[in-house]
Amino acid sequence: MQIGSIEAGGTKFVCAIGDEDYRIKDQTQFPTTTPEETLQKTLDYFAKFDIDALGIASFGPIEIRQSSPKYGYVTNTPKPGWKNTDFVGTLKQKIRVPMFWTTDVNGSAYGEYVMSTLANEKIDSLVYYTIGTGVGAGAVIDGEFLGNAGHPEMGHTFLKRHPQDLDFPGICPFHKDCLEGLVSGPTLEARLGIKGPEVPRDHPVWDIMAYYLAQAAIQATLIIRPDKIVFGGGVVDEALLEKVRVQFDQLLNHYIDLPPLKNYITMPQVANNGSATLGDFALGIKALKD
Amino acid sequence: MQIGSIEAGGTKFVCAIGDEDYRIKDQTQFPTTTPEETLQKTLDYFAKFDIDALGIASFGPIEIRQSSPKYGYVTNTPKPGWKNTDFVGTLKQKIRVPMFWTTDVNGSAYGEYVMSTLANEKIDSLVYYTIGTGVGAGAVIDGEFLGNAGHPEMGHTFLKRHPQDLDFPGICPFHKDCLEGLVSGPTLEARLGIKGPEVPRDHPVWDIMAYYLAQAAIQATLIIRPDKIVFGGGVVDEALLEKVRVQFDQLLNHYIDLPPLKNYITMPQVANNGSATLGDFALGIKALKD
């Protein structure tokens, strides 16, 4: 069996070919330019292979409700040129195999879910947050994505403000101080005037970030009751997650029984979002079976 | 077919017999006293009927993980005498039919879900919050309860504090100013020194309550993406929900497409928690089929 994977990011596309054991047999990447050029390069790549199914995890917002006439579209994205692009329709003109179309973060969530399953972690459910330019999230329960639209937007809930951060208005264009408006990468520069990667690891802002991420983890915990919460994205490292675990523990105050926090709140198992390709393979296989 | 229902509340038990069309054929109620007396009265009632299955929705906390040795127990409840009571085990000694055991709020959530389905509302998923002495919640997706433990605790997430309520510390014994600590019935007396039912409907505290309930609805919306959110419990009336809809609309700022808020954020379809009995019947039938 040969399965295709497209990780369609706002900066670059990663296309790959894998087998039913999720082994990568071929892989390429190219920058995300215009939709015409980028999707043509994608078609050119897959024309070289005989695939049985295709998993696609795309930047967004995208339409994933199959009942919608805009199913398969990148919708009102701020990315120049991509608004209202019929991504799946363009591919289907040339590639006639079952396709699974979902968000980039859902692809990563599914990859982490599959990896945990392969590692015999006895995981039935998993929540994945990505903390980068924005904040996205995906949730998998028993192999299915959570939510009517299969597309939670849990990066935009509101949180209790940190006492040392009350003057920061937040930067979400929709909600000001929602989770994304308080912890996405650009909030660091908005607060401190220096770029995120240049903020010293001992700066007190990381305690503020951890306070908010801990509350996000509490929301996911109390609402979804998942087996595991994974934080990925450029803002996250193990030092930050250790602060998140401490704050989570204090705020939740042992209200419910949970696994050891070291296993419950974790980094992705594969660095640099590498689990997304594996997730795409698994979703491609799922599309074939459904 | 005859299905039994037990609504086991902290104040009273309501037992009923229904058929496969959820029609109530017989019903009784008695006060919740000691576990021995109350469960004996329950057994005495059901001894008069030949039932095929039983749905039980109980006050808690309760253990509903079937893998737990304490499955079927009321666990560490503050209610005198009831801590560590083997509720289901006691019933099973006399009643040998399939039983569905869940929380009181899950019973209500399921009842509202079934009623919406019967009314052809095309509801696949529903979140039910009860705002009373405490704050509980249940979520049903495609006929199943959400969460690994089938038992979300979404009454205890944290929220952005209302600017006119910053001095109120909150009353949750675990988390101080979580949702329950800010909007449960006793918070009214804690804030104002007068009992909830005596607080005038034009008092500004209702705007504060609505601000928090709107954030709870936003969490449920963005994390679960349900088709409908129902608010029940003694604190809630239509005037309060109308304030909740206004705040919800302002806070969410049209970030995602939703049904008209009048249909999306609603009171229970049956007053005084009446949908719980119907939910129990449906869950009893589910236990029979599973």
Side-chain angles (χ1 to χ4, degrees):
Chain A
M1 197 189 284
Q2 291 204 115
I3 313 292
S5 162
I6 304 174
E7 285 172 63
T11 311
K12 67 174 195 281
F13 270 43
V14 180
C15 298
I17 304 290
D19 65 17
E20 62 271 36
D21 295 321
Y22 313 121
R23 281 177 299 229
I24 295 173
K25 295 161 81 176
D26 195 85
Q27 193 167 31
T28 188
Q29 66 177 64
F30 38 86
T32 309
T33 57
T34 64
E36 296 72 24
E37 184 180 51
T38 317
L39 293 177
Q40 188 56 52
K41 280 190 183 173
T42 304
L43 287 170
D44 292 346
Y45 175 73
F46 287 107
K48 297 184 286 174
F49 301 93
D50 185 20
I51 58 173
D52 299 289
L54 179 60
I56 313 161
S58 175
F59 73 101
I62 66 173
E63 181 56 78
I64 59 176
R65 289 171 295 191
Q66 302 214 12
S67 59
S68 166
K70 293 276 181 184
Y71 174 79
Y73 278 62
V74 174
T75 56
N76 60 332
T77 179
K79 186 158 178 71
W82 282 83
K83 189 175 279 198
N84 249 331
T85 296
D86 185 7
F87 194 125
V88 172
T90 304
L91 295 186
K92 281 204 185 246
Q93 289 173 10
K94 301 283 180 185
I95 305 174
R96 293 189 179 84
V97 299
M99 298 183 188
F100 198 107
W101 164 249
T102 194
T103 63
D104 43 9
V105 61
N106 267 353
S108 298
Y110 213 82
E112 287 292 319
Y113 172 76
V114 170
M115 290 210 59
S116 293
T117 308
L118 292 177
N120 277 319
E121 282 184 37
K122 305 205 168 158
I123 296 289
D124 293 323
S125 52
L126 177 145
V127 171
Y128 184 101
Y129 282 97
T130 178
I131 318 292
T133 313
V135 174
V140 184
I141 300 178
D142 291 334
E144 304 290 335
F145 290 115
L146 173 65
N148 190 20
H151 185 184
E153 284 282 1
M154 49 181 114
H156 292 267
T157 59
F158 293 95
L159 307 162
K160 182 178 171 181
R161 296 298 304 271
H162 190 284
Q164 262 83 62
D165 194 46
L166 295 176
D167 293 338
F168 180 58
I171 62 168
C172 172
F174 283 90
H175 313 113
K176 288 211 174 72
D177 62 346
C178 67
L179 177 61
E180 175 170 303
L182 292 173
V183 304
S184 62
T187 64
L188 292 163
E189 188 169 1
R191 280 191 186 91
L192 307 172
I194 48 174
K195 301 253 179 221
E198 288 154 30
V199 178
R201 297 314 301 182
D202 59 354
H203 195 288
V205 76
W206 296 111
D207 293 308
I208 292 169
M209 299 286 272
Y211 185 74
Y212 297 135
L213 293 176
Q215 290 184 59
I218 287 174
Q219 288 178 7
T221 297
L222 296 180
I223 297 180
I224 301 177
R225 298 293 290 269
D227 292 322
K228 190 175 181 177
I229 300 175
V230 179
F231 283 99
V235 172
V236 177
D237 64 12
E238 183 56 35
L240 176 59
L241 278 201
E242 191 47 38
K243 286 179 188 285
V244 171
R245 292 184 195 109
V246 171
Q247 302 260 21
F248 178 96
D249 196 50
Q250 285 173 5
L251 284 166
L252 191 55
N253 195 18
H254 309 276
Y255 183 65
I256 56 170
D257 291 333
L258 288 171
L261 292 189
K262 197 96 186 161
N263 304 334
Y264 181 65
I265 297 175
T266 73
M267 299 272 290
Q269 303 200 33
V270 185
N272 297 321
N273 208 21
S275 43
T277 299
L278 191 153
D280 288 346
F281 291 153
L283 290 169
I285 294 169
K286 188 169 161 59
L288 200 56
K289 288 182 180 163
D290 281 354
Chain B
M1 197 189 285
Q2 291 204 116
I3 312 294
S5 161
I6 304 174
E7 284 172 62
T11 311
K12 67 173 196 283
F13 270 44
V14 180
C15 298
I17 304 291
D19 64 16
E20 63 270 36
D21 294 322
Y22 313 120
R23 281 177 299 229
I24 295 174
K25 296 160 82 177
D26 195 84
Q27 193 166 31
T28 189
Q29 65 177 63
F30 38 85
T32 309
T33 58
T34 64
E36 296 73 23
E37 185 179 51
T38 317
L39 293 178
Q40 188 56 53
K41 280 190 183 173
T42 304
L43 287 171
D44 292 346
Y45 175 73
F46 285 107
K48 297 184 287 174
F49 301 94
D50 185 22
I51 58 173
D52 299 288
L54 179 60
I56 313 162
S58 176
F59 73 100
I62 66 174
E63 180 56 78
I64 58 177
R65 288 171 296 189
Q66 302 216 13
S67 59
S68 166
K70 294 276 181 183
Y71 174 79
Y73 279 62
V74 176
T75 56
N76 60 332
T77 178
K79 186 158 178 68
W82 282 83
K83 189 176 278 194
N84 248 332
T85 295
D86 185 6
F87 194 125
V88 172
T90 303
L91 295 185
K92 284 206 184 241
Q93 287 172 13
K94 301 284 181 184
I95 304 174
R96 293 189 178 84
V97 300
M99 296 183 189
F100 198 107
W101 163 249
T102 194
T103 63
D104 43 9
V105 62
N106 266 353
S108 299
Y110 214 82
E112 288 292 320
Y113 172 77
V114 171
M115 292 211 55
S116 292
T117 309
L118 292 177
N120 277 319
E121 282 183 34
K122 306 206 168 157
I123 296 289
D124 293 323
S125 53
L126 177 146
V127 171
Y128 184 101
Y129 282 97
T130 179
I131 318 293
T133 313
V135 174
V140 184
I141 301 177
D142 291 334
E144 305 290 335
F145 290 116
L146 172 65
N148 190 20
H151 185 183
E153 285 281 1
M154 50 182 114
H156 292 267
T157 57
F158 294 96
L159 307 162
K160 182 178 173 182
R161 297 298 304 270
H162 190 284
Q164 262 83 60
D165 194 48
L166 294 177
D167 293 337
F168 180 58
I171 62 168
C172 173
F174 283 90
H175 314 113
K176 289 208 174 74
D177 63 345
C178 67
L179 177 62
E180 176 169 303
L182 292 172
V183 305
S184 62
T187 62
L188 292 164
E189 188 170 1
R191 280 193 186 89
L192 308 172
I194 49 173
K195 301 254 179 218
E198 289 154 29
V199 178
R201 297 314 303 185
D202 59 354
H203 195 289
V205 76
W206 295 111
D207 293 309
I208 292 169
M209 299 285 271
Y211 185 73
Y212 296 135
L213 292 175
Q215 289 182 61
I218 287 173
Q219 288 178 7
T221 297
L222 297 180
I223 296 179
I224 302 178
R225 299 292 291 269
D227 293 322
K228 191 174 181 179
I229 300 176
V230 179
F231 283 99
V235 172
V236 177
D237 64 12
E238 183 55 36
L240 176 59
L241 279 200
E242 191 48 38
K243 285 180 189 287
V244 171
R245 292 183 196 110
V246 171
Q247 302 262 21
F248 178 96
D249 195 50
Q250 284 173 5
L251 284 165
L252 191 56
N253 195 18
H254 309 273
Y255 183 64
I256 56 169
D257 291 333
L258 288 171
L261 292 189
K262 196 97 185 160
N263 304 333
Y264 181 65
I265 297 176
T266 74
M267 300 271 291
Q269 303 200 32
V270 185
N272 298 320
N273 208 19
S275 44
T277 299
L278 192 152
D280 289 346
F281 292 152
L283 291 169
I285 294 169
K286 188 169 160 58
L288 199 56
K289 289 182 181 163
D290 279 356

